[in-house]
Amino acid sequence: MVVKEYVTYNQVHKLCQESAPRILSDFQPELIIAIGGGGYVPARILRSFLKQPGSPNIPIQAIGLSLYEQLPSKHSSGSNTPGEVEVPGTKVTRTQWLDLTSLGEMENLVGKKILIVDEVDDTRTTLEYAVKELEKDVEAARKKLGYEGAKTEFSIFVLHNKNKEKKGHLPQDMWNENRYRAARTVEDVWICYPWEATDIDAHDEFARKQGGA
Amino acid sequence: MVVKEYVTYNQVHKLCQESAPRILSDFQPELIIAIGGGGYVPARILRSFLKQPGSPNIPIQAIGLSLYEQLPSKHSSGSNTPGEVEVPGTKVTRTQWLDLTSLGEMENLVGKKILIVDEVDDTRTTLEYAVKELEKDVEAARKKLGYEGAKTEFSIFVLHNKNKEKKGHLPQDMWNENRYRAARTVEDVWICYPWEATDIDAHDEFARKQGGA
């Protein structure tokens, strides 16, 4: 039996809110990269809490990475889940990448502190892909521009990290320098995010019964 | 005195949910373009409700358009608003545009039904900019590809349309063909979206007292 954990919007909001001060003190990001679709909501909320008085909002760029493949519906009765079941895939597909033109022809990537946001760290495959590919872009930009010294730093924020064996791996210095942050570490459960709920009131009620809301 | 209207996450969720069937029956979008940051949350929710059994998710591309400029904080006490006040600007700045490479070298724009999603239609300046610029891209793609017949159709979905004089204008055929949809039309009030709330419980309580939650 798959254990489900229901997370409400307000819980997501609070996870972002409580994480923001440490992200600001440890890392001071200059650009947020939201991995869509799951990263859209936490990235937008986080932006509110990362905003400093007198400074403009930290810009968000969205990238679209798709790892999961759709299987036909199982029509399990009584469940508050979408009509289709998602299973982890092994291949990452880009549905959107950075818009380097609006970023100022890549130079804004070099020497910057960049916060990558997603909702969940499951197998880590998507995050590994994102970091590796972004590092390639930065290296290309650095060579093109002839910048030598400026180091680009990536950090990661996810709402939930699943405590399980990971297929993907992140650079060691990201761990050494404390640039990975999960608001919560959970067991290998099925996390039901509110934006996928077909009945949001029932969803909230499930979350409340679990004692989390 | 500025009248504020508080909107909860669950209300946003339900506005998307109730609008989805008509969007599907009237328009059947093949691509969602989320105008960030405000469009991120409704676009992600809407995607859940636009998904058809047996079909993959409708892809989302995010664009970043910034119209509002930041003013210093007024520190109005007792308010559940961010520390800074936003005033409408007149200039639209792109912070991200479409990633045409991942879209399949632009051809996926031509002849497609594209749904543009934002949270609010205030002065309509941002929406006018988005539609005009996207139409330019489509026209360029059409010429490049030599496609003649295939018509690209844009439609718009916003959570709230403010009933006020608009500075921006949308193409007449969008009105004629019913391709503009606002889940709610409201007076010219200050809409407080939940992702900007510094105290989400107080925010929900304000919304509840207004009788909307």
Side-chain angles (χ1 to χ4, degrees), chain A residues 80-176:
Chain A
N80 183 41
T81 56
E84 313 225 0
V85 179
E86 292 190 330
V87 290
T90 50
K91 190 172 171 293
V92 178
T93 310
R94 289 186 186 191
T95 56
Q96 180 170 26
W97 199 244
L98 300 178
D99 172 17
L100 296 169
T101 310
S102 297
L103 271 177
E105 296 295 348
M106 303 207 290
E107 68 190 56
N108 284 338
L109 282 179
V110 179
K112 289 290 188 298
K113 289 168 178 284
I114 299 172
L115 178 67
I116 300 167
V117 176
D118 207 349
E119 91 278 44
V120 63
D121 177 354
D122 185 357
T123 61
R124 202 161 280 165
T125 307
T126 305
L127 288 170
E128 178 188 271
Y129 178 92
V131 171
K132 279 191 175 168
E133 295 296 304
L134 289 167
E135 284 184 336
K136 281 186 205 168
D137 280 8
V138 167
E139 194 50 37
R142 185 197 306 281
K143 282 186 180 162
K144 184 182 167 190
L145 297 164
Y147 289 1
E148 285 305 318
K151 189 185 168 200
T152 301
E153 283 188 341
F154 291 100
S155 67
I156 285 173
F157 172 74
V158 292
L159 297 170
H160 298 93
N161 174 35
K162 291 189 185 177
N163 186 18
K164 64 192 283 188
E165 197 180 336
K166 302 293 186 180
K167 293 181 189 165
H169 301 282
L170 298 171
Q172 189 56 46
D173 63 348
M174 189 172 270
W175 302 108
N176 296 346

Side-chain angles (χ1 to χ4, degrees), chain A residues 9 13 48 54 84 97 99 195, chain B residues 9 13 48 54 84 97 99 195:
Chain A
Y9 282 110
H13 189 91
S48 296
E84 313 225 0
W97 199 244
D99 172 17
W195 44 87
Chain B
Y9 282 111
H13 189 90
S48 296
E84 312 224 0
W97 199 245
D99 172 17
W195 44 87

Side-chain angles (χ1 to χ4, degrees), chain B residues 125-180:
Chain B
T125 307
T126 305
L127 289 170
E128 177 189 271
Y129 178 92
V131 171
K132 278 191 176 169
E133 293 297 303
L134 289 167
E135 284 184 337
K136 280 186 205 167
D137 279 8
V138 168
E139 193 50 37
R142 185 197 307 281
K143 282 186 182 163
K144 184 182 167 191
L145 296 165
Y147 289 1
E148 285 304 321
K151 189 184 167 199
T152 302
E153 282 189 342
F154 291 100
S155 66
I156 286 173
F157 172 73
V158 293
L159 298 170
H160 297 93
N161 174 34
K162 291 189 184 176
N163 186 17
K164 64 193 283 189
E165 197 180 337
K166 302 294 185 180
K167 293 181 189 166
H169 299 282
L170 298 171
Q172 190 56 45
D173 63 349
M174 189 172 271
W175 301 107
N176 296 346
E177 296 165 19
N178 208 20
R179 286 189 273 111
Y180 174 97

